[in-house]
Amino acid sequence: MKLSTKGKYGLRAIIDLARFSEKEPVSIGCIAMRQKLSERYLEQLFALLKKAGLVKSIRGASGGYVLARDASEISVGDVLRALEGNLEPVRCAAFYSEEGCMASDECVTKYVWQKINDSINKTVNEIKLDELVKESKELNPEGVIHGECSQQ
């Protein structure tokens, strides 16, 4: 399975948001600066995260984004599926098609693909944002990643 920049950058951005939005909303500009990412690209990613119900936007002078739920309730799987879609590297017709697969009756590899898919989903669903925020704070207690943000 290979994630696109949507998944990789979006996960970095929402971890940043989870870490810094505990007291006030965080602007896309601050996240972009700390993570060295394009604001325009982050706006597209946050639109997908908002549509999936993972983040909320707050309007106004001190507005920005906050998590829509507690960080302990949002999994890496939630974030990656919102940004990437289905995470299954192998989509076997034996399990996902009304017609099935012509070789389904004799094929045993379908069980391999199912185990791989289940394993990936189980792993990303078990990792919660609050765990990653904790790890981020341990690795970088000051919170300075690539620059200071005037908002923080």
Side-chain angles (χ1 to χ4, degrees):
M1 179 175 101
K2 190 165 182 150
L3 295 175
S4 72
T5 57
K6 277 199 252 185
K8 292 187 279 189
Y9 294 170
L11 185 58
R12 279 176 40 197
I14 201 167
I15 293 166
D16 184 289
L17 176 69
R19 179 171 180 175
F20 293 101
S21 68
E22 291 172 339
K23 295 181 180 139
E24 62 185 359
V26 178
S27 73
I28 291 269
C30 286
I31 296 170
M33 188 183 64
R34 280 192 296 265
Q35 297 298 322
K36 289 223 170 187
L37 298 171
S38 157
E39 280 188 54
R40 288 183 78 120
Y41 194 50
L42 283 180
E43 286 169 359
Q44 294 172 23
L45 299 182
F46 271 73
L48 294 170
L49 294 169
K50 185 177 176 182
K51 183 177 178 185
L54 300 177
V55 300
K56 295 189 293 190
S57 60
I58 309 293
R59 295 187 180 271
S62 59
Y65 284 89
V66 295
L67 295 178
R69 302 191 306 256
D70 190 81
S72 65
E73 298 174 11
I74 299 174
S75 73
V76 169
D78 294 331
V79 175
L80 294 179
R81 278 187 287 278
L83 298 168
E84 299 277 358
N86 190 325
L87 298 178
E88 296 176 348
V90 179
R91 191 153 173 87
C92 179
F95 296 111
Y96 297 105
S97 171
E98 286 182 22
E99 298 87 37
C101 171
M102 291 173 50
S104 180
D105 292 338
E106 303 87 31
C107 180
V108 293
T109 59
K110 65 185 176 189
Y111 299 108
V112 174
W113 311 140
Q114 189 64 48
K115 278 191 164 289
I116 290 169
N117 293 342
D118 291 346
S119 178
I120 289 170
N121 281 302
K122 181 180 186 288
T123 299
V124 297
N125 288 339
E126 288 176 350
I127 304 168
K128 304 295 182 181
L129 284 186
D130 65 332
E131 298 170 48
L132 298 174
V133 168
K134 181 180 175 208
E135 186 74 25
S136 171
K137 288 178 180 177
E138 289 175 11
L139 290 172
N140 187 355
E142 290 82 36
V144 178
I145 298 172
H146 293 295
E148 289 292 329
C149 181
S150 61
Q151 181 180 334
Q152 305 303 326

